Amino acid sequence: MSLIAVVSGIRDTGVYRRHPSPLAWLVLMPLLAWLFLFVIAPTLMLVVVSFAERDALGRIVYDFTFQNYIRAFDWLWLKVLFSSLWYALLTTLICLFVGYPVAYFIGRAPLQWRGLLLMLVMVPFWTSFLIRTYAWITILSKDGLLNSLLVSAGIFSHSAEILYTPFAIVLGLVYNFLPFMILPIYTSVEKLDNALIEAAYDLGAGPIRAFSQIIIPLTRPGIAAGAMLVFVPSIAMFAITTLMGGGTNPTIGEVIFKQFTSGRNQPFGAALGSILLLIFVLALWITRKYREED
Amino acid sequence: MKKTTTLLLSALTAFLVGCGKAPEAKKLSVFCWSEYIPQSVIDQFSKETGIQVSVENYASNEEMLAKLTAGGGQYDIIQPSEYVVEALIAQKLLHPIDKTKIPNLSNIAPQFLKMGFDPDNSFSVPFMAGTVGIVVNTDLIKDDIKSFADVFKPENKGKIVVLDDAREITAWALLSQGLPINDVSDANLEKVKPVLANWLPMVKVFDSDSPKTALLNGDVAIGVVWGGEGAILLQSDPKFRWIIPAEGTHLFIDSLAIPKTAKNVDNAEAFMNFILRTDISKQISDAFPYTNPNLAARKILTEEQIRNKASFPSDEEMAKMQVFRDIGTQGSKVDELVTSLKAQ
């Protein structure tokens, strides 16, 4: 249960400790059942399978072994993991630098505009991300929209290679996950107390100082949540990276996917998945710590 | 009271006995590749037989295997490729076929029957065959490409699309070294490692689902792709040329089979016979231009369809092709080899 406590942020401070009434348990039941069925049980299965073996057809054989973990720490897979972490980090940073000003602008915009602006951020979600990724392929390909425009405008002499490059991977990831950065920061910005900013100016702070010492710390929970929401899914994302990167840079998500399919090696995939899960839990735990210190 | 009990018991017995003898429900559950059996064919089968068909799709043989062996679904028809048929037979997971119920099997060309993976066709009937070959955009590449070795030349670096399939890529490297494609021993993998280390960095795109896209968009100029994809490219633009590699290539045969756990075996056999019917097989060829093993159906295809080199290779080319055999857990090593060279 300590895992859930960490993840959900329930702190065992003792102050609120009270025995829930049977009615409370009844109300909580659907949530607990959901958590058990779709979070705890699958996680346990993943961990159990990661210590198993498999036969020639890929069926799981329940013989206890550490082999999958030993193999997972081979430099090859670590390299793939690090490269995925690097892409995820880069994506998070770009999303932060692009998303923060947007979120700030929306959060400080006149009230009647905010709804519309937020809506514009969310509109892309109405279409499946796969379809939007295919749209990017049409735009970025060599004979695609962007290249034809740039060439006919005389900016480029011939079509540039944009699609199937690392640049395209990062573009795809940033495009897809940007709203996950904007929305949490927006909620923090919206709650900003104007009086504090004015006080900073009154006490002689310039715009830079007001921003770095007042606005940033006050919106930190939004930044942390946004960073988490972008970082975690972009590590494991494989559809965008293979479609826009051409599959030349294997990502950890793609490697795990292949273990469950063509590799016929679910236990090894499960071991890689468990390691990834551990990284996520650690990342969440660190953010949680960081937020507690504020 | 006693009377009622007896009555109930006898009714129950009658019901149970009746169940055992009852004819199969008018149902059929098909587990097949996505984009391989046209919906119109399924609809026509339902209309003609009154059998209600439910279809579930998969994107790779292994995905099908995983679901089948996990016992998740009840399937009456599956569509495995040759090496998977072999593995399923070895594991006793297929139901034997009553060939008297499939008279249309006589439509199939003998060269696709009685093959190594199922020597008597006791468990499988061929659905579609196909090959892997080279497509060249002759507007962009003027060289005369004849072989895998010609494709992976330094001047083509960054202009190549290949299937995202470790077993396929390794098979081409084995062929280029004159090694049999099914001998993936550690020693042979060691031999092809330098070949793959040389080839893989030249590849711009790895794509098994739709390798034609990168060729059509002009992002790459040359590709090693499925015959069906090649055939569509040839139909779309005369600038594309199809070449069967001089070293030989992989011939795949996708079959229809009945899993041991099937509930509606009679309906499944009726479906097999229906698929092998001349007019139905033609419909499938119209939608997915792979190598149709159905001789009777080939006779009613248009001349343009028959002339398509990517759909129908010459006998001479066919003679150089090899089918995959099951390589079991060695598949992991092949996968690891290709991944490690991609990530270098």
Side-chain angles (χ1 to χ4, degrees):
Chain A
M1 285 308 270
S2 67
L3 179 85
I4 305 170
V6 170
V7 173
S8 59
I10 301 165
R11 266 181 291 159
D12 212 359
T13 53
V15 180
Y16 303 106
R17 194 178 288 166
R18 230 175 63 185
H19 287 288
S21 67
L23 184 70
W25 279 115
L26 200 70
V27 174
L28 273 175
M29 230 26 216
L31 177 72
L32 291 176
W34 192 90
L35 270 177
F36 181 78
L37 278 175
F38 300 112
V39 180
I40 299 171
T43 310
L44 285 178
M45 273 164 70
L46 188 79
V47 174
V48 168
V49 169
S50 71
F51 288 106
E53 288 176 7
R54 53 87 160 92
D55 68 4
L57 266 194
R59 285 176 293 192
I60 297 157
V61 181
Y62 290 99
D63 283 336
F64 185 84
T65 174
F66 275 116
Q67 200 48 49
N68 300 311
Y69 284 95
I70 295 170
R71 193 177 161 211
F73 283 98
D74 187 288
W75 177 233
L76 160 65
W77 312 111
L78 289 179
K79 211 159 55 173
V80 171
L81 178 62
F82 290 144
S83 120
S84 305
L85 286 170
W86 164 242
Y87 276 116
L89 189 69
L90 199 62
T91 304
T92 312
L93 287 176
I94 297 175
C95 280
L96 180 62
F97 284 113
V98 177
Y100 197 97
V102 176
Y104 192 82
F105 174 76
I106 299 176
R108 310 294 279 177
L111 207 54
Q112 68 267 33
W113 283 101
R114 283 185 208 168
L116 180 73
L117 290 171
L118 269 187
M119 177 89 122
L120 287 177
V121 172
M122 290 196 280
V123 159
F125 281 114
W126 297 354
T127 315
S128 152
F129 81 92
L130 276 177
I131 294 175
R132 285 181 281 128
T133 305
Y134 279 107
W136 272 114
I137 292 178
T138 315
I139 295 170
L140 299 179
S141 70
K142 221 162 190 178
D143 300 343
L145 280 171
L146 183 66
N147 266 318
S148 337
L149 264 175
L150 289 174
V151 171
S152 61
I155 299 171
F156 283 174
S157 57
H158 56 86
S159 293
E161 293 202 0
I162 306 171
L163 193 60
Y164 307 127
T165 60
F167 171 78
I169 296 180
V170 176
L171 177 70
L173 288 172
V174 168
Y175 164 75
N176 196 63
F177 291 118
L178 191 56
F180 293 98
M181 184 65 88
I182 295 178
L183 296 177
I185 296 180
Y186 161 80
T187 21
S188 293
V189 170
E190 204 191 18
K191 281 185 282 192
L192 264 184
D193 189 349
N194 243 339
L196 290 172
I197 302 168
E198 278 162 21
Y201 282 122
D202 288 348
L203 294 169
I208 294 175
R209 194 140 182 231
F211 183 71
S212 64
Q213 294 198 341
I214 305 295
I215 298 175
I216 289 276
L218 284 175
T219 51
R220 198 174 277 168
I223 296 174
M228 224 56 260
L229 286 175
V230 173
F231 186 70
V232 171
S234 36
I235 298 179
M237 170 57 77
F238 62 91
I240 292 176
T241 48
T242 22
L243 282 173
M244 293 188 61
T248 45
N249 300 285
T251 56
I252 194 72
E254 186 193 341
V255 165
I256 294 175
F257 170 73
K258 282 195 173 159
Q259 299 311 318
F260 280 86
T261 54
S262 59
R264 288 196 212 170
N265 200 343
Q266 297 187 34
F268 182 55
L272 289 172
S274 301
I275 293 170
L276 208 54
L277 194 68
L278 206 66
I279 295 176
F280 293 156
V281 172
L282 269 176
L284 273 171
W285 184 70
I286 290 168
T287 345
R288 187 70 57 189
K289 274 266 169 221
Y290 178 71
R291 240 191 275 178
E292 272 169 21
E293 278 165 18
D294 284 344
Chain B
M1 188 62 182
K2 205 181 162 206
K3 230 181 212 172
T4 335
T5 321
T6 327
L7 207 71
L8 270 174
L9 268 178
S10 56
L12 190 69
T13 324
F15 176 72
L16 285 175
V17 171
C19 269
K21 282 183 187 163
E24 282 177 12
K26 285 267 185 196
K27 280 188 177 147
L28 182 72
S29 161
V30 177
F31 194 30
C32 60
W33 290 85
S34 48
E35 298 288 299
Y36 218 2
I37 304 179
Q39 187 58 42
S40 60
V41 166
I42 305 269
D43 292 343
Q44 193 174 338
F45 178 74
S46 293
K47 213 172 127 195
E48 287 183 16
T49 59
I51 294 170
Q52 208 187 334
V53 184
S54 60
V55 179
E56 218 177 294
N57 291 130
Y58 54 85
S60 72
N61 275 302
E62 282 70 19
E63 184 186 337
M64 182 268 286
L65 270 181
K67 276 199 186 166
L68 189 72
T69 54
Q74 282 286 343
Y75 306 112
D76 300 316
I77 285 273
I78 51 171
Q79 205 179 19
S81 301
E82 67 288 341
Y83 66 100
V84 179
V85 172
E86 183 182 11
L88 288 170
I89 295 174
Q91 301 285 334
K92 301 195 170 24
L93 289 171
L94 293 184
H95 194 285
I97 296 168
D98 181 357
K99 273 182 268 183
T100 57
K101 294 203 185 125
I102 309 174
N104 288 338
L105 195 56
S106 62
N107 287 340
I108 301 294
Q111 70 187 117
F112 295 101
L113 295 171
K114 301 187 173 166
M115 303 197 62
F117 58 87
D118 184 10
D120 281 321
N121 284 97
S122 316
F123 297 96
S124 68
V125 301
F127 170 78
M128 228 7 136
T131 185
V132 170
I134 302 164
V135 177
V136 177
N137 180 338
T138 52
D139 283 357
L140 300 171
I141 290 195
K142 304 292 178 196
D143 295 357
D144 191 19
I145 304 285
K146 289 203 175 83
S147 60
F148 288 122
D150 289 343
V151 174
F152 299 99
K153 280 192 299 192
E155 56 263 41
N156 293 336
K157 186 176 170 39
K159 295 182 193 166
I160 306 172
V161 57
V162 300
L163 301 170
D164 191 13
D165 186 316
R167 174 100 199 258
E168 281 290 346
I169 298 171
T170 308
W172 312 334
L174 285 163
L175 284 166
S176 79
Q177 301 303 298
L179 297 165
I181 61 176
N182 290 306
D183 187 356
V184 288
S185 61
D186 289 353
N188 275 355
L189 288 183
E190 208 49 50
K191 276 186 209 163
V192 296
K193 193 175 173 181
V195 178
L196 291 171
N198 182 24
W199 286 6
L200 293 178
M202 297 186 197
V203 175
K204 178 90 173 167
V205 184
F206 292 91
D207 186 355
S208 296
D209 300 325
S210 183
K212 61 178 180 293
T213 311
L215 280 155
L216 281 170
N217 287 343
D219 287 298
V220 294
I222 187 166
V224 185
V225 306
W226 311 117
E229 292 268 310
I232 293 169
L233 286 169
L234 296 192
Q235 280 167 17
S236 74
D237 199 320
K239 74 181 177 195
F240 290 113
R241 205 159 70 83
W242 176 259
I243 299 124
I244 293 292
E247 300 100 332
T249 187
H250 168 212
L251 172 73
F252 60 84
I253 295 160
D254 295 328
S255 301
L256 295 175
I258 306 173
K260 194 115 221 178
T261 49
K263 280 203 177 130
N264 308 300
V265 175
D266 288 346
N267 296 347
E269 284 163 344
F271 185 76
M272 284 179 169
N273 195 46
F274 177 80
I275 290 287
L276 298 184
R277 214 169 77 186
T278 317
D279 58 321
I280 300 303
S281 189
K282 181 192 183 298
Q283 271 189 51
I284 299 169
S285 258
D286 289 345
F288 305 107
Y290 283 90
T291 312
N292 196 334
N294 194 314
L295 278 186
R298 279 194 210 177
K299 286 191 185 123
I300 53 169
L301 291 181
T302 65
E303 197 175 327
E304 196 194 356
Q305 281 173 310
I306 289 290
R307 268 209 320 256
N308 195 320
K309 281 270 156 219
S311 300
F312 296 105
S314 69
D315 288 343
E316 208 179 308
E317 289 167 337
M318 292 284 282
K320 282 192 292 187
M321 297 178 188
Q322 300 176 45
V323 292
F324 277 172
R325 305 297 293 264
D326 189 50
I327 54 170
T329 50
Q330 199 68 8
S332 277
K333 293 217 177 124
V334 172
D335 199 53
E336 186 169 332
L337 175 68
V338 171
T339 311
S340 69
L341 295 171
K342 270 191 199 175
Q344 64 188 335

